[in-house]
Amino acid sequence: MNKLLKIEELAMFCLGIFLFSQLHFAWWWFALLLLTPDIGMIGYLINPKIGAFTYNLLHHRAVAISVYLSGIYFGNSILQLAGVIMFAHSSMDRILGFGLKYPDSFTHTHLEKIGK
């Protein structure tokens, strides 16, 4: 089942690449921005509960889709770009086994425990 989920996440990552290709940005923007959602880890400097909230906010695909669709609605390509980057990054993380965080520990995710 784990391989099947990773294949599904790979398909979603490819969807993120496709959506990016529909925007009018140079490809280096995708590479440069792909890791920016990890800025949500800064919340862990305060405590695990806030860290989980800030991390999950920037890694939740419903948030990413909402940002992207807001960009379409308002005709704002920067919002569309942010949504695509969040979406693709979340899928990439899940391929690597990093899921949404529980508030007790950074290593406790909805997919598995990191660092088994």
Side-chain angles (χ1 to χ4, degrees):
M1 182 59 102
N2 194 20
K3 285 189 181 196
L4 186 60
L5 290 174
K6 289 184 184 213
I7 291 169
E8 181 180 37
E9 293 300 338
L10 178 61
M12 286 195 240
F13 182 74
C14 291
L15 175 61
I17 292 172
F18 171 76
L19 292 173
F20 179 83
S21 76
Q22 302 304 299
L23 301 174
H24 300 289
F25 290 95
W27 279 98
W28 62 266
W29 280 109
F30 186 83
L32 179 73
L33 297 174
L34 188 58
L35 297 179
T36 56
D38 282 337
I39 198 160
M41 287 189 278
I42 288 176
Y44 281 97
L45 294 174
I46 300 169
N47 65 45
K49 185 175 181 181
I50 291 174
F53 175 79
T54 57
Y55 182 92
N56 291 343
L57 182 66
L58 295 178
H59 286 78
H60 200 288
R61 281 196 292 247
V63 174
I65 292 167
S66 296
V67 170
Y68 177 76
L69 292 176
S70 295
I72 290 174
Y73 180 79
F74 292 113
N76 186 321
S77 60
I78 300 296
L79 282 176
Q80 290 176 37
L81 174 64
V84 166
I85 293 297
M86 290 169 64
F87 185 87
H89 176 88
S90 297
S91 295
M92 180 186 70
D93 268 6
R94 291 173 186 164
I95 291 168
L96 299 172
F98 303 119
L100 298 174
K101 309 300 183 201
Y102 286 100
D104 60 334
S105 168
F106 179 79
T107 61
H108 186 194
T109 78
H110 84 287
L111 295 176
E112 60 191 4
K113 185 115 171 121
I114 299 172
K116 289 182 186 175

